[in-house]
Amino acid sequence: MTPSTLSPEVKPRRLAAQPDVQLIFWLGGMLMLVACFLPWALLRPNRLAAGVYQNLPVAWMVLGAVLALAVPLSARVLPRIMPLLGGTALALGFYLLGARMTAAMLDQPEIARASASSGLWVWLLGAGIAVYGAGQIGLPERFWSWLAWLWLPVLIVLALTGQLAAWSVLRELDAQQARFLQEVGQHLKLVLTGLGLAVLIGAPLAVWVSRRPRAAEAVLGFANGIQTIPSLALLGLLIAPLGALANALPFLRQLGVSGIGTAPALTALTLYALLPVLRNGLVALRGVSPGALDAARGMGMTDNQRFWRVQLPLALPVWLSGIRQAAVLLVGVASIAQLIGAGGLGYFIFSGLQTAASDLILLGAIPAALLAIGVDALLRGLEVLLTRQWGRA
Amino acid sequence: MTVARAAGTRRPASARLLALLWPALLLICLIPGVLSNLFAPLSAGIAPDTGGRPLWQLTLIHLQLVLGAELIVLLIGVPLAVFVTRPGRAALMRLTETITGLGQTVPTIAILALAVPTLGLGLPPTVLGLVLYGLVPVVSNGIAGLLAVDKGVLDAARGVGMTSRQRLMRVELPLSLPVLMAGIRTSTVYNVGTATIGAALGAGGLGSLIINGLSQQNTGLVLIGAVLAGLLALSLDALLELVAPGGR
């Protein structure tokens, strides 16, 4: 085990952002500029009716345009303030989401709905790109870089103080809070159980086949084939055999196995997650340098000790990246599990699609997207941590 | 991945023959009556109703959707990969990689569903989803392929007096083609699955059999759709592997 060296990278001071980074600020700034003149809110008399688009008030339009132009222009002269500028732009987008929706809902009956429109989404995209660009400048001072995260506390405060409550998606959430928590829980349960089963089956299998090239070929070929099959088709294919199994063996039905519901969904999720777990496991276990294993043997370690103390720790970071891919994949497949009656966030997406209620669709789609991004970021962080602790495999 | 590639290079002849297995199975299943009679016992004894359309027509719609979207993907993805890999655009390339990475992370159904409030139901959001999702492997493999071109080869090309345009067309693109083709293969196979889910938005194709079957609790219909969609994906994967050998 090598001790981690945490020496901060020394970067040269620059007076202006490099030309290629300036290109990013131009892209972000232009998107923000276009956004100012697009409609920001859509007001509908009820959750299903057609509605009227509302533009930003002129004062906000001018302020937004000034901020949009300031992004590429100040990147040239004052790169140090770029994180602050990007963070402010993003925070302003979230503030305006609340403020514009509240303004649209003023004097409207309770059943009216105000939803965010193209202007807001394009602004958030442009401001997000500006924040990304700020991270690319490589500022020497930590403090100025941290200002790019300004939007996060602003968003949290806005959400906690109920400033965003007028937004149609949160109205929808308000109406079905209990159901939402239940489906998020079910989604997490599906993903974690599927992932757990895939690791329980995949990890020993990967260790076993890593020493047998012929078996490795067959196992990988099978897992590859499974992943080629569309996820919805795989869910469909599992209905008949599991249904027949449940009919033939009543005790299985009592355990909850049937063609429809959680059992086929979990089977599909497990099969789907197997390939990344297996493939990265094999690559990781085989990637451990023979020198390290020889050294371990030289120290008098038994085969068992060599595996647990040398090969596995060295292989773990790479293996974990396979588990991360599997987890992200499962968040997606779990989103369509509702089609076979297994619930999850897909419940809102598909009931929204059936009733043409776009707020309901977003209530499922936005958390599903955020969940996938969050799971990815979390496991990436864990990988970095493990790699630092055990050195690169 | 390396294992699969090694297997492919060792037995090219048998692998080539095996590649025709899935398309052949797909064609057999498309003969009228084969699948519906096979799964009739699962549909209360009657041949499942496929909504008046023959199976080959639904498969063709599905294939059109996938290949049409793939064409748009190529028209956008390849120039984009070339644009961001030119000198002096390193930050733009990292941004593109970050965004395509995010695109791969967000669930397919979420991308499709997020487009519905703006584009309505049916074909437009599905095509948008197919293009966005299909772009990810094409762009990331395109960038990886172009970056992997040997700097020495590029210097040599410059040395013999090639313009930057000639270098791109005659050296960089041909050399990066295998990696790009692998991306196109991945993207096409992914999109068979995306188009299946697109049926939930009313895009038609084979997914509509699965979704109708599920809502009517007709297991036979579900299986017909699932078998055909699975075979279509495996067939395209196998056929494209003949053109683009190597792991996905």
Side-chain angles (χ1 to χ4, degrees):
Chain A
M1 281 178 224
T2 51
S4 59
T5 46
L6 278 172
S7 61
E9 265 182 68
V10 183
K11 280 175 180 149
R13 276 164 185 272
R14 291 181 197 88
L15 287 174
Q18 306 93 313
D20 62 331
V21 179
Q22 283 184 26
L23 223 55
I24 288 186
F25 289 122
W26 276 106
L27 180 66
M30 288 306 111
L31 282 171
M32 284 157 66
L33 189 65
V34 170
C36 294
F37 304 102
L38 289 172
W40 277 56
L42 173 67
L43 181 66
R44 292 164 299 161
N46 62 56
R47 65 199 277 262
L48 301 176
V52 239
Y53 289 102
Q54 296 183 350
N55 285 328
L56 278 183
V58 178
W60 279 116
M61 220 184 250
V62 173
L63 188 76
V66 169
L67 192 59
L69 287 173
V71 165
L73 293 180
S74 54
R76 188 175 287 272
V77 286
L78 264 175
R80 202 156 294 171
I81 67 157
M82 290 319 292
L84 178 65
L85 216 53
T88 308
L90 204 51
L92 184 70
F94 291 124
Y95 168 73
L96 282 178
L97 169 67
R100 295 324 303 155
M101 299 307 130
T102 311
M105 286 297 284
L106 208 64
D107 300 331
Q108 292 293 327
E110 188 63 17
I111 59 161
R113 287 285 185 273
S115 45
S117 190
S118 52
L120 179 90
W121 301 120
V122 175
W123 177 275
L124 291 182
L125 176 67
I129 289 178
V131 167
Y132 180 84
Q136 296 285 317
I137 302 178
L139 288 174
E141 300 98 335
R142 273 276 165 84
F143 169 73
W144 288 100
S145 308
W146 277 105
L147 285 177
W149 287 93
L150 182 75
W151 60 271
L152 191 61
V154 171
L155 178 61
I156 292 172
V157 167
L158 284 174
L160 289 182
T161 53
Q163 302 283 315
L164 304 176
W167 182 30
S168 56
V169 176
L170 291 183
R171 282 277 168 111
E172 206 71 53
L173 171 63
D174 206 35
Q176 333 205 17
Q177 208 158 24
R179 185 76 199 234
F180 182 77
L181 291 178
Q182 182 196 329
E183 298 300 351
V184 169
Q186 171 72 1
H187 204 100
L188 288 175
K189 200 178 99 186
L190 283 175
V191 171
L192 292 178
T193 317
L195 191 66
L197 286 174
V199 172
L200 275 183
I201 300 170
L205 201 58
V207 172
W208 187 74
V209 298
S210 68
R211 293 157 199 171
R212 294 167 183 79
R214 285 192 148 271
E217 241 171 69
V219 165
L220 278 182
F222 173 73
N224 249 327
I226 291 290
Q227 232 188 11
T228 307
I229 297 174
S231 46
L232 184 55
L234 190 62
L235 285 174
L237 285 173
L238 289 169
I239 283 182
L242 281 174
L245 202 66
N247 282 341
L249 303 167
F251 77 92
L252 275 182
R253 195 160 11 155
Q254 276 171 357
L255 286 175
V257 175
S258 71
I260 290 278
T262 309
L266 275 181
T267 315
L269 287 168
T270 308
L271 284 175
Y272 240 71
L274 262 180
L275 176 69
V277 172
L278 269 177
R279 180 152 72 188
N280 280 48
L282 268 179
V283 171
L285 289 171
R286 286 180 173 182
V288 172
S289 88
L293 292 177
D294 278 348
R297 196 190 317 235
M299 286 167 63
M301 284 194 186
T302 65
D303 279 0
N304 242 335
Q305 284 174 323
R306 271 194 310 153
F307 173 74
W308 289 106
R309 299 210 194 149
V310 182
Q311 198 178 13
L312 193 61
L314 284 176
L316 215 50
V318 177
W319 204 339
L320 203 62
S321 96
I323 293 175
R324 168 174 58 82
Q325 289 166 24
V328 169
L329 208 64
L330 290 194
V331 174
V333 183
S335 307
I336 57 167
Q338 162 65 17
L339 283 174
I340 56 168
L345 285 165
Y347 166 77
F348 298 106
I349 299 179
F350 290 108
S351 36
L353 284 172
Q354 263 162 17
T355 54
S358 50
D359 302 327
L360 204 54
I361 299 177
L362 293 182
L363 183 60
I366 295 176
L370 292 180
L371 186 63
I373 294 171
V375 163
D376 187 60
L378 194 74
L379 290 176
R380 257 179 218 279
L382 202 60
E383 271 167 54
V384 172
L385 217 68
L386 277 184
T387 313
R388 269 197 201 145
Q389 196 146 19
W390 279 312
R392 240 171 213 297
Chain B
M1 203 156 80
T2 44
V3 177
R5 191 176 295 152
T9 46
R10 207 182 306 151
R11 295 171 312 205
S14 63
R16 213 163 270 189
L17 210 68
L18 209 67
L20 294 176
L21 174 71
W22 297 119
L25 262 177
L26 177 64
L27 288 179
I28 292 173
C29 287
L30 285 179
I31 298 171
V34 169
L35 274 186
S36 41
N37 286 330
L38 187 62
F39 293 134
L42 292 165
S43 313
I46 44 162
D49 175 27
T50 55
R53 283 175 182 242
L55 293 177
W56 62 265
Q57 208 175 351
L58 285 169
T59 311
L60 209 61
I61 293 176
H62 203 97
L63 195 62
Q64 272 173 355
L65 207 58
V66 170
L67 295 183
E70 197 58 33
L71 193 70
I72 304 177
V73 163
L74 289 184
L75 287 177
I76 301 173
V78 176
L80 185 64
V82 170
F83 180 80
V84 300
T85 46
R86 298 306 93 191
R89 290 178 193 150
L92 212 54
M93 189 183 78
R94 287 194 292 273
L95 176 69
T96 313
E97 280 178 328
T98 306
I99 291 179
T100 47
L102 271 183
Q104 188 129 53
T105 307
V106 174
T108 321
I109 183 67
I111 289 188
L112 291 174
L114 286 173
V116 168
T118 347
L119 296 176
L121 285 173
L123 213 51
T126 309
V127 172
L128 183 79
L130 284 168
V131 170
L132 285 182
Y133 214 63
L135 267 174
V136 174
V138 169
V139 170
S140 59
N141 274 42
I143 290 177
L146 286 167
L147 284 185
V149 172
D150 191 353
K151 292 287 167 291
V153 177
L154 281 180
D155 281 345
R158 192 172 310 157
V160 298
M162 283 193 186
T163 64
S164 59
R165 194 194 162 82
Q166 284 173 324
R167 282 204 302 273
L168 176 67
M169 301 305 287
R170 296 202 202 154
V171 182
E172 286 182 82
L173 282 180
L175 280 177
S176 61
L177 198 62
V179 183
L180 180 67
M181 283 302 297
I184 295 173
R185 178 172 160 220
T186 310
S187 144
T188 312
V189 173
Y190 274 0
N191 272 352
V192 175
T194 313
T196 316
I197 298 175
L201 279 62
L206 293 169
S208 61
L209 295 178
I210 305 180
I211 287 173
N212 289 343
L214 287 170
S215 64
Q216 297 162 15
Q217 306 213 329
N218 183 339
T219 312
L221 198 55
V222 174
L223 283 183
I224 292 179
V227 165
L228 287 179
L231 282 178
L232 186 63
L234 289 167
S235 302
L236 281 175
D237 189 45
L239 289 176
L240 283 169
E241 194 181 13
L242 290 182
V243 195
R248 280 199 287 120

